[in-house]
Amino acid sequence: MDTPLREPTFLILTALAGEPLHGYGLIGEVTALSDGRVTLRPGTLYGALDRLVDARLVEVDREEVVDGRLRRYYRLSPAGDATLSAETERLRRNVEAATARLAARSRATRPISPRVVGGLA
Amino acid sequence: MTDLERRYLRLLAAYPADYRRARGAEIVGTYLDLAAPGRRWPSPADAADLLRGGLRQRVRAAGAVDLMPGVRLAATVALLTATTLAGVWVVLELRPAPIAGFGEPTLGPFVSLGIVAWTAWGLAALAHALAPGRWTRRAVALALLLTAALVPAGALTGLPRPPLFVLLPQIGLGLVALGAADRLPASLRAVPLIAAGGAGLLGATLMSRNMFSASYYTWTVVPVLPTAAVVVLALALLLAAGLGLRGDLRGGWALLILLTPVGLLALQPLAGALDTAPVEVVPSWTALAATAVLVALVGPALLPLTLAARSHWARVTQPRRGHLPQ
């Protein structure tokens, strides 16, 4: 799978890093992780899961039937764990670099307090 | 089974049959989990999501994973062509014939109503430079609507409009350009805007105000579209061959998608080949109309036919492909 990961893919892998989840659970977890910014619909979610299963980053964990509805649980594979770790490290380094640059910029552009004009007359 | 479940299952027909058997219950179950109590119909957004997902899965089952990148590549070429042509047409619109000399109706200082659509295409090029993705697609959709609206607007107001052999290729290019990518390298974003400006300057040279007033039928203007057809076809062939050598098939898909607009751009020479009457500058209306219908029917059919052939081939050679891996 190409890196950097797209945000929905990153969030799906992050959601599955906690515990195996079924489709409905995954949608809720991705919404919570993104503070409501990313809301996946089932058609989009299962398309993404197909690609992740093909790339061997996600595996089928188990199946259950609840209230007559099939629920298939997915879990992060060892390859998915490695990909998510590498992507998280890449993002962390980017965040650190950006934070350092912004802090330096903030120091450089801080307004200088006006000197007192005149003397001690 | 509830009405809602039955309706979701009906929409699931967008997916290939073998995928429906493997995944259908799971997908519909998730929609039902998400549905508010008492809901009886899928929302339009859910229906669109299912149709999109089904199309994506059919493409995937056909082994055409390069199709969507191909659509985006074709969209980039189509937008570049459409905005470049609009740049030429804006200059033409600024060269109305003097009424006393020619008796041709004009739209004030412009040749025709076309100026409205060509300006919208210029804005689409600007949107592409500033905000690729959703805003570009919206700007393209607006330009496309305005271009198509020129036909009824001309009929209703009695004002002149560009001829159909100019509008049809622009509409064909616009439909392809609706697949514009969300993310593009910064170096590519301004290319349609620069190309439109460059084409405008070239058009100003070709249509010198001192020589004559312009119309879409003058001998310097008529070859613009066939020339564009040759350039776009050559570019698409180069992309298909260059990317194909690296095992990247998106150039091939882009070529297949661009064949329809190329056919519409080449409407005059194609119609001229069909037309039995002697052709002076532009072939007869009936020959142009028959060719346009032929191109509009055959061109778009090539993509689903190729996908069906790929799907059949994929089933024959890899019967298990497209199933959920266990």
Side-chain angles (χ1 to χ4, degrees):
Chain A
M1 174 148 293
D2 291 340
T3 52
L5 299 175
R6 296 183 69 178
E7 191 178 13
T9 308
F10 180 80
L11 290 170
I12 290 170
L13 294 180
T14 305
L16 292 176
E19 58 176 334
L21 290 167
H22 55 74
Y24 177 62
L26 249 174
I27 289 172
E29 194 64 18
V30 165
T31 306
L33 282 169
S34 64
D35 287 332
R37 275 184 307 105
V38 178
T39 307
L40 296 173
R41 290 186 178 278
T44 311
L45 171 73
Y46 287 106
L49 279 175
D50 287 337
R51 286 194 298 278
L52 291 170
V53 170
D54 280 357
R56 302 187 187 287
L57 302 184
V58 167
E59 299 166 340
V60 176
D61 186 70
R62 65 185 190 277
E63 291 180 1
E64 287 176 2
V65 177
V66 180
D67 297 334
R69 289 178 198 163
L70 175 69
R71 283 186 166 173
R72 190 173 276 138
Y73 286 74
Y74 298 87
R75 65 167 180 258
L76 200 61
S77 70
D81 188 308
T83 301
L84 182 61
S85 300
E87 182 68 357
T88 306
E89 178 60 20
R90 189 188 68 80
L91 290 171
R92 192 183 59 74
R93 281 200 301 270
N94 283 353
V95 169
E96 280 177 3
T99 308
R101 290 287 169 96
L102 285 169
R105 178 186 164 85
S106 171
R107 278 195 299 276
T109 57
R110 189 176 298 155
I112 300 164
S113 54
R115 289 181 182 174
V116 178
V117 179
L120 298 169
Chain B
M1 186 184 291
T2 63
D3 286 348
L4 184 63
E5 187 173 358
R6 194 173 300 113
R7 283 163 185 149
Y8 274 122
L9 284 170
R10 213 170 287 150
L11 285 171
L12 210 62
Y15 285 81
D18 53 354
Y19 189 86
R20 272 203 307 273
R21 278 192 290 277
R23 260 332 227 308
E26 185 185 2
I27 294 175
V28 171
T30 306
Y31 276 111
L32 294 174
D33 282 337
L34 289 166
R39 185 168 197 108
R40 295 186 60 229
W41 288 87
S43 69
D46 281 352
D49 182 52
L50 267 170
L51 294 176
R52 242 191 338 258
L55 180 65
R56 201 179 296 127
Q57 192 52 42
R58 282 181 187 275
V59 166
R60 188 165 167 266
V65 287
D66 292 316
L67 177 61
M68 283 320 289
V71 168
R72 290 189 207 106
L73 182 61
T76 303
V77 174
L79 184 62
L80 178 63
T81 312
T83 52
T84 305
L85 286 171
V88 176
W89 302 142
V90 163
V91 176
L92 183 145
E93 288 286 343
L94 294 169
R95 300 276 193 276
I99 292 173
F102 296 88
E104 293 281 331
T106 59
L107 181 72
F110 306 110
V111 167
S112 77
L113 287 168
I115 187 67
V116 179
W118 311 139
T119 307
W121 283 104
L123 290 175
L126 188 64
H128 190 263
L130 299 177
R134 188 176 298 174
W135 282 104
T136 299
R137 286 192 290 272
R138 285 177 182 167
V140 168
L142 176 68
L144 193 55
L145 282 174
L146 288 172
T147 307
L150 290 179
V151 179
L156 288 172
T157 60
L159 290 168
R161 61 161 171 78
L164 283 174
F165 67 76
V166 170
L167 297 180
L168 282 176
Q170 197 74 18
I171 290 170
L173 289 166
L175 287 171
V176 176
L178 283 174
D182 281 335
R183 292 186 291 185
L184 275 175
S187 55
L188 277 180
R189 291 182 194 170
V191 170
L193 194 62
I194 294 167
L201 288 176
L202 185 67
T205 312
L206 284 174
M207 292 174 273
S208 165
R209 188 186 290 275
N210 296 331
M211 284 174 67
F212 46 77
S213 59
S215 107
Y216 290 95
Y217 296 94
T218 47
W219 62 271
T220 49
V221 174
V222 168
V224 167
L225 291 173
T227 306
V230 172
V231 172
V232 175
L233 184 61
L235 179 61
L237 282 168
L238 280 174
L239 284 170
L243 292 170
L245 284 175
R246 299 192 321 216
D248 186 342
L249 292 179
R250 71 191 147 131
W253 292 114
L255 172 64
L256 205 60
I257 294 163
L258 285 167
L259 279 178
T260 306
V262 164
L264 293 171
L265 285 166
L267 216 49
Q268 296 163 48
L270 289 177
L274 286 180
D275 202 354
T276 51
V279 178
E280 289 180 1
V281 178
V282 178
S284 69
W285 188 90
T286 45
L288 280 171
T291 313
V293 170
L294 198 66
V295 171
L297 288 176
V298 174
L302 292 174
L303 188 62
L305 282 175
T306 309
L307 277 175
R310 286 282 301 257
S311 183
H312 178 72
W313 182 79
R315 268 202 304 275
V316 169
T317 54
Q318 292 170 297
R320 297 294 301 166
R321 193 168 186 164
H323 285 259
L324 178 69
Q326 296 298 312

